[in-house]
Amino acid sequence: MVSLAAGRAPTTALLPLVVVLIALRAVTASHLPLSFDEAYFWLWSRHLAISYFEHPPLIALAIRAGTALLGDTSLGVRLMSLLASVAASWAIWRAAAAVFTDDTSAWTACAFLNLTLMLTSQSMGATPDIFVLTASAFLLWSVAELERTRNAWWWLAAALALGAALLAKYTAFFLALSLGLWLLLTPQGRRWLTTPWPYLAAVLAAS
């Protein structure tokens, strides 16, 4: 059992680090000029559609929402990417808490995520990858809670995470494939195959 004092220590040390890293990304995102891809996606946001030649519609919708709030500025284009990185940090914190059941591991996982080049680079730009990363974090949290609690309702959370990933990038199909392999290859997963929940989740994610 982790004591209350021990539980507070990681928060005191690592939460400010995470906040500073997020703030630095926000400042950088507001000053960097848009890349070619970002400008291309911004054009998509001016002409919303159900899908585009290269990607599903989530990046266009995200840019449209950000520019509606902050105007056609660098920060407006990238706002939802920054917010997605915050959501991913929270989901990884919750997933690590579910898996390791201690506050130290949870905050360490959250801090390490924010120190990665992938999260840093993708959350400072408007790209579909940050939304796939965020959906992956929520999928990980959902499966961790599913394994910890065996509460079937977490299948619906997993389906929503998969659905969001598929709206961001077509290659998010591999996330669904990885979940399917977990179902087939692990004893924990195979237990669910005799229930309707994985199939319901697949229908919900696809729709």
Side-chain angles (χ1 to χ4, degrees):
M1 179 69 68
V2 179
S3 69
L4 184 60
R8 279 199 297 263
T11 305
T12 303
L14 295 177
L15 178 58
L17 172 62
V18 172
V19 171
V20 168
L21 290 170
I22 293 171
L24 286 173
R25 293 200 297 268
V27 171
T28 305
S30 66
H31 287 84
L32 280 178
L34 297 183
S35 68
F36 175 84
D37 284 351
E38 289 175 302
Y40 182 41
F41 296 145
W42 174 82
L43 286 175
W44 288 2
S45 75
R46 300 299 95 188
H47 307 279
L48 295 179
I50 194 169
S51 185
Y52 300 89
F53 177 72
E54 296 171 328
H55 293 295
L58 186 55
I59 183 62
L61 293 169
I63 293 174
R64 183 67 168 265
T67 54
L69 292 171
L70 299 180
D72 291 321
T73 62
S74 294
L75 189 57
V77 170
R78 296 163 173 157
L79 177 62
M80 293 303 157
S81 295
L82 287 164
L83 295 179
S85 74
V86 177
S89 301
W90 183 81
I92 289 296
W93 173 65
R94 293 297 304 148
V99 172
F100 299 109
T101 66
D102 73 273
D103 202 44
T104 301
S105 297
W107 281 108
T108 301
C110 181
F112 279 5
L113 175 70
N114 280 271
L115 288 167
T116 62
L117 181 60
M118 179 67 178
L119 184 79
T120 300
S121 61
Q122 297 305 318
S123 63
M124 290 192 303
T127 71
D129 299 272
I130 185 60
F131 300 106
V132 176
L133 189 154
T134 301
S136 302
F138 275 89
L139 179 62
L140 178 64
W141 175 40
S142 301
V143 174
E145 291 289 3
L146 182 68
E147 177 62 17
R148 184 180 69 87
T149 65
R150 298 189 181 180
N151 184 337
W153 286 102
W154 282 104
W155 276 109
L156 301 184
L160 291 174
L162 279 175
L166 290 168
L167 283 174
K169 205 167 184 178
Y170 296 123
T171 52
F173 161 78
F174 290 103
L175 284 176
L177 180 61
S178 67
L179 185 58
L181 289 174
W182 176 78
L183 278 169
L184 293 172
L185 300 180
T186 67
Q188 306 96 308
R190 285 194 294 270
R191 283 199 299 265
W192 290 103
L193 290 175
T194 58
T195 74
W197 290 99
Y199 313 104
L200 179 62
V203 172
L204 180 60
S207 60

